[in-house]
Amino acid sequence: MLTKDLTKIRNIGIAAHIDAGKTTTTERILFYTGVNYKIGETHDGTATMDWMAQERERGITITSAAITCQWKDCFINIIDTPGHVDFTVEVERSLRVLDGAVSVFCAVGGVEPQSETVWRQADKYKVPRIAFINKMDRVGANFFGVVSQIHDRLGARAVPVVLPIGAEDSFQGVVDLLQMKELVYVDGSGAHPELRDIPADMLDDAKMYRENLIEQLGDVDDEIMNMYLEGQEPTVEQLKAAIRRQTIALKFVPCFCGSAFKNKGIQPVLDAVIDYLPSPVDIPAVEGTSPDDETKVIERHPRMDEPLSALAFKVAVDPFVGRLTFCRIYSGTLHTGDTLYNPASRKRERIGRILLMHSNKRIDIDDASAGMIVALPSLKNTRTGDTLCDENNPVVLESLTFPAPVITLAVEPATTEDKTKLAKGLIALSDEDPTFVVKDNEETGQMTISGMGELHLDIIVDRLRREFGVHVNVGRPQVAYREAIQNRVEKVQGKFVRQSGGHGQYGDCVINMEPLPDGQEGFVFEDDIVGGVIPREFIPACQKGFEEAMGSGVLGGFPVIGVKVELVYGSYHEVDSSEMAFKIAASMAFKEAMRKASPTLMEPIMSVEVVTPEDYVGDVMGDLSSRRGRVDGMEMRANARAIKAYVPLGEMFGYATDLRSKTSGRANYTMQFDHYEPVPKNVAEAILNPSGAESAGKK
């Protein structure tokens, strides 16, 4: 059973760019902590954390897998997160509930675009982290180069606490700058490194970098600063305590190095997780609000005697247990048989079982306390981002926000018997993944699925086939276009009158409409009604009418973004006015205002980075320009060029194949959604009036 001492628990995530070696690092951690008796490998498809068939085949992580292990006297809950940008929401929701993270970087690739995305996500949730620079055995490995990139690009105070011994083929181990000893890995498994004195040829470097470590610490830590000024040498314990304080305060990032694949340098990282990353008691109390009053702030401290509060951060469908809800418990103690309250659905949930997850294996436990991450089966009314709490002391914790999908596919069952299975599979998968949206297109009668990228939807279709036994026919990818306005319009009326004997309908409202500044994508409603020309009780109905009208624009029926609506005037009928009438009138006013405000079609623009050998730079840039791309800059990366560009998503389909053929398979690229931009006139016409060309289908 897990410890009741919260100071002995660490909730950490392993997060990084694709192919930096997250899963391999996690596998080594599981081997050294005694969870696994043999080392799993991503490329062999035997990694514990990559348990889905798709993960094993593709050699990538798709879902965040949770696992518990023990190192020395501490229990570590590890979540291995995906690196691919299509699954960025998995990283987001994991970081929301973690106390610390290990950021893994490739010693050759350094800080890549997705590394920056993950780092920003960790900044957003104020997650302390340590850096592990992996793949020191690869040709072109540069430990200090990556440390300076972390400093320059991510704005972090990244400081080496170990030094590599050798690099590339000659990488043997690390020098510990705190103890001033070297750890040399002599056997292949790396389980028993030898602690030796630093050889004479490295001693000067080690002293210099130790001095640098103390100086950098002194800049942010008063205790070390005073000792430094007084000429005192801090002890190892004092240095560790200072690094811990400043890492938790987000002012310091200790950097480690190693080669996970060659089993070198993992133990110092495990020690660092315990020494430098926070336990549940080291982080501030979690803040929530009252379900009845959003302005009332409620704190929950990580103690067992507090009222229970937990956040559901992930829903997964397990083939054996059914629907599993992963929860982080922030306060109190949970027992099997307890009844919890969900303020979002206003429903009670009975806890039949509490499970500790071990990747896709499960261990039943009787109770769980603050600081733990557990899975609860068969919760019917709890979604991702919901709070579970004590009914007598309700609280709503900060939920999670998810990005809107950018790409859509039409799907239909291959046979009539697949129809019910398809519906069941799609419901299960959309419960699991908040960025995956299923819709029925009323105009075409098609069912559409939307997600974060081609790979995301490819995996979804594959899971439908394997897990639910559904064979589907898939249409070509379609882009999630949007509509926006360019001008301000004033005093546009929407009037809905039905008065033909008996109880009629009467709604009348006048609005101003303008685009939001700086390319913002939301919706702002302003109530400027004076003198009661529209009664107060009908104002929410007007707002609802505007919001519903935003679901379908006037150009091609695409959702509308970036508008501000001011409700300025109107009239009502004492008998015939109703909420429904005002809702319809508001919708009519919105459509009319939009027609007058120069509507324009918007398309998703992707931030693309292509890493290519020098020889192919011209071909790659020419190809990006032909896709309406805008090259934003270029820099040297190891022995290749990294080209940054902004390209419309509609032009990026099939890019992977084209890039391979243009560069003989030597270049690779990453892409993530950046913003929406107006579509050029000629392209917009082709989208809105396909006339013989293939329809760029609606969302």
Side-chain angles (χ1 to χ4, degrees):
M1 179 52 209
L2 273 173
T3 175
K4 295 286 184 195
D5 181 357
L6 295 187
T7 60
K8 302 291 187 198
I9 293 177
R10 299 287 182 273
N11 294 312
I12 65 158
I14 311 280
H17 184 85
I18 194 165
D19 274 348
K22 294 179 296 300
T23 303
T24 308
T25 305
T26 313
E27 291 299 322
R28 300 309 184 268
I29 290 174
L30 298 184
F31 175 69
Y32 297 133
T33 55
V35 172
N36 288 355
Y37 65 90
K38 72 180 197 36
I39 294 177
E41 295 294 5
T42 315
H43 54 267
D44 294 338
T46 55
T48 309
M49 302 301 270
D50 287 349
W51 55 271
M52 283 167 64
Q54 295 85 340
E55 293 181 314
R56 297 195 159 186
E57 284 168 14
R58 297 165 189 256
I60 61 169
T61 303
I62 295 167
T63 61
S64 315
I67 204 156
T68 302
C69 60
Q70 189 174 356
W71 181 250
K72 297 183 175 170
D73 60 346
C74 286
F75 286 87
I76 307 176
N77 297 316
I78 302 174
I79 295 185
D80 176 26
T81 62
H84 199 286
V85 67
D86 283 16
F87 308 105
T88 190
V89 67
E90 284 284 336
V91 185
E92 179 97 9
R93 59 185 174 188
S94 301
L95 288 170
R96 167 73 177 81
V97 298
L98 292 170
D99 303 332
V102 178
S103 286
V104 184
F105 297 91
C106 170
V108 183
V111 176
E112 299 186 73
Q114 187 63 4
S115 318
E116 293 184 39
T117 307
V118 171
W119 196 270
R120 282 199 299 276
Q121 286 172 316
D123 281 341
K124 177 178 163 186
Y125 293 115
K126 296 185 171 54
V127 177
R129 60 223 89 136
I130 58 178
F132 175 57
I133 293 156
N134 189 24
K135 304 194 177 184
M136 285 299 299
D137 58 315
R138 288 236 340 246
V139 175
N142 182 350
F143 172 66
F144 298 108
V146 179
V147 171
S148 67
Q149 280 185 17
I150 297 172
H151 187 275
D152 298 342
R153 287 196 200 168
L154 305 176
R157 188 180 286 273
V159 182
V161 289
V162 300
L163 292 185
I165 304 171
E168 303 179 359
D169 289 349
S170 61
F171 178 68
Q172 292 169 317
V174 295
V175 170
D176 183 334
L177 293 177
L178 271 67
Q179 297 184 46
M180 291 299 277
K181 294 279 185 188
E182 67 168 16
L183 244 75
V184 180
Y185 294 83
V186 281
D187 64 334
S189 74
H192 306 290
E194 285 184 12
L195 201 63
R196 303 175 183 167
D197 288 332
I198 302 171
D201 60 333
M202 282 196 73
L203 198 56
D204 288 347
D205 276 356
K207 283 177 178 170
M208 181 180 84
Y209 278 103
R210 181 184 166 93
E211 188 76 13
N212 173 55
L213 168 67
I214 295 170
E215 274 180 32
Q216 294 276 7
L217 256 180
D219 285 349
V220 289
D221 192 273
D222 293 344
E223 191 181 312
I224 299 293
M225 173 59 93
N226 292 336
M227 293 179 78
Y228 184 73
L229 293 173
E230 289 166 14
Q232 294 178 24
E233 184 67 22
T235 64
V236 172
E237 274 60 45
Q238 285 169 326
L239 281 173
K240 279 187 177 176
I243 295 173
R244 179 180 183 85
R245 282 196 297 276
Q246 300 312 325
T247 303
I248 293 172
L250 304 176
K251 291 178 180 175
F252 197 83
V253 178
C255 295
F256 296 81
C257 65
S259 163
F261 182 52
K262 295 284 174 67
N263 312 321
K264 291 171 182 170
I266 300 295
Q267 292 91 336
V269 174
L270 276 166
D271 289 340
V273 164
I274 289 167
D275 291 340
Y276 307 139
L277 289 182
S279 69
V281 295
D282 294 319
I283 54 168
V286 63
E287 285 189 353
T289 54
S290 165
D292 306 317
D293 179 6
E294 286 184 9
T295 56
K296 187 181 172 188
V297 175
I298 301 172
E299 285 193 346
R300 287 280 185 268
H301 297 270
R303 292 201 302 264
M304 294 176 201
D305 53 356
E306 285 251 326
L308 188 101
S309 63
L311 183 76
F313 67 96
K314 177 176 172 151
V315 174
V317 179
D318 187 286
F320 303 105
V321 186
R323 198 166 181 269
L324 278 176
T325 308
F326 285 78
C327 293
R328 158 74 193 262
I329 304 173
Y330 282 99
S331 62
T333 304
L334 178 62
H335 305 273
T336 47
D338 283 358
T339 300
L340 298 182
Y341 178 63
N342 180 343
S345 62
R346 305 251 173 206
K347 299 268 178 64
R348 292 179 183 85
E349 296 272 25
R350 190 177 175 280
I351 310 300
R353 291 169 72 191
I354 303 172
L355 303 174
L356 262 187
M357 293 305 287
H358 188 88
S359 184
N360 63 334
K361 300 184 184 74
R362 296 156 300 278
I363 303 159
D364 274 273
I365 54 175
D366 297 326
D367 55 60
S369 56
M372 287 175 66
I373 293 175
V374 293
L376 306 173
S378 315
L379 301 187
K380 291 185 177 65
N381 304 303
T382 302
R383 302 275 174 273
T384 300
D386 285 1
T387 303
L388 291 169
C389 58
D390 179 359
E391 193 170 3
N392 301 322
N393 296 281
V395 62
V396 178
L397 301 176
E398 184 196 354
S399 188
L400 296 135
T401 49
F402 301 112
V406 292
I407 183 169
T408 302
L409 289 176
V411 290
E412 57 185 33
T415 62
T416 45
E417 64 196 48
D418 282 329
K419 201 166 180 178
T420 48
K421 286 197 283 189
L422 175 64
K424 189 180 164 190
L426 288 174
I427 290 167
L429 290 172
S430 62
D431 269 359
E432 215 173 282
D433 184 349
T435 57
F436 170 60
V437 178
V438 183
K439 280 189 178 170
D440 280 319
N441 189 323
E442 290 165 12
E443 290 176 28
T444 61
Q446 281 180 312
M447 185 178 277
T448 61
I449 57 174
S450 310
M452 300 308 292
E454 283 183 276
L455 178 67
H456 186 195
L457 294 183
D458 194 17
I459 298 279
I460 292 272
V461 170
D462 197 27
R463 287 186 66 186
L464 282 171
R465 183 168 58 81
R466 294 194 196 204
E467 291 172 34
F468 300 93
V470 184
H471 291 283
V472 291
N473 298 327
V474 179
R476 62 187 290 274
Q478 299 161 353
V479 177
Y481 292 103
R482 297 285 184 266
E483 292 180 28
I485 57 169
Q486 299 177 70
N487 300 330
R488 177 178 167 90
V489 288
E490 294 187 348
K491 296 187 177 156
V492 179
Q493 186 181 25
K495 196 168 185 177
F496 178 67
V497 185
R498 287 269 167 87
Q499 290 169 312
S500 53
H503 189 51
Q505 296 282 357
Y506 185 96
D508 173 25
C509 59
V510 177
I511 64 169
N512 300 338
M513 182 189 274
E514 63 180 36
L516 289 179
D518 305 328
Q520 292 172 33
E521 288 172 22
F523 167 66
V524 174
F525 171 68
E526 196 170 284
D527 171 16
D528 291 340
I529 293 293
V530 287
V533 290
I534 299 177
R536 297 255 58 85
E537 66 263 29
F538 297 135
I539 303 283
C542 292
Q543 184 175 352
K544 200 154 187 260
F546 300 136
E547 285 170 355
E548 282 186 9
M550 285 186 71
S552 165
V554 297
L555 292 174
F558 301 106
V560 180
I561 57 170
V563 289
K564 177 182 177 183
V565 172
E566 300 161 5
L567 183 60
V568 291
Y569 195 69
S571 62
Y572 73 104
H573 189 284
E574 283 185 3
V575 179
D576 290 349
S577 282
S578 65
E579 286 192 359
M580 179 55 76
F582 271 100
K583 195 167 135 186
I584 295 169
S587 176
M588 289 162 71
F590 186 94
K591 297 276 189 206
E592 185 58 32
M594 204 170 160
R595 284 189 194 96
K596 290 179 175 175
S598 311
T600 179
L601 198 63
M602 308 289 278
E603 63 184 346
I605 304 293
M606 311 304 278
S607 165
V608 179
E609 183 176 278
V610 185
V611 179
T612 172
E614 190 83 47
D615 307 356
Y616 304 108
V617 167
D619 291 348
V620 169
M621 287 179 73
D623 186 43
L624 287 170
S625 301
S626 71
R627 295 172 185 271
R628 296 197 284 122
R630 194 171 70 244
V631 175
D632 192 45
M634 189 162 54
E635 62 182 48
M636 286 301 291
R637 181 88 44 90
N639 51 359
R641 287 289 180 107
I643 302 166
K644 292 184 173 159
Y646 293 104
V647 191
L649 174 63
E651 306 287 343
M652 287 299 288
F653 295 129
Y655 184 61
T657 314
D658 286 357
L659 186 66
R660 270 203 298 274
S661 62
K662 279 191 168 52
T663 62
S664 311
R666 289 174 65 194
N668 57 40
Y669 79 103
T670 52
M671 160 171 104
Q672 58 195 30
F673 169 71
D674 195 88
H675 62 283
Y676 277 96
E677 260 180 29
V679 179
K681 210 165 182 180
N682 58 331
V683 180
E685 280 171 12
I687 295 164
L688 296 169
N689 310 308
S691 57
E694 254 185 45
S695 173
K698 296 173 192 171
K699 166 127 179 330

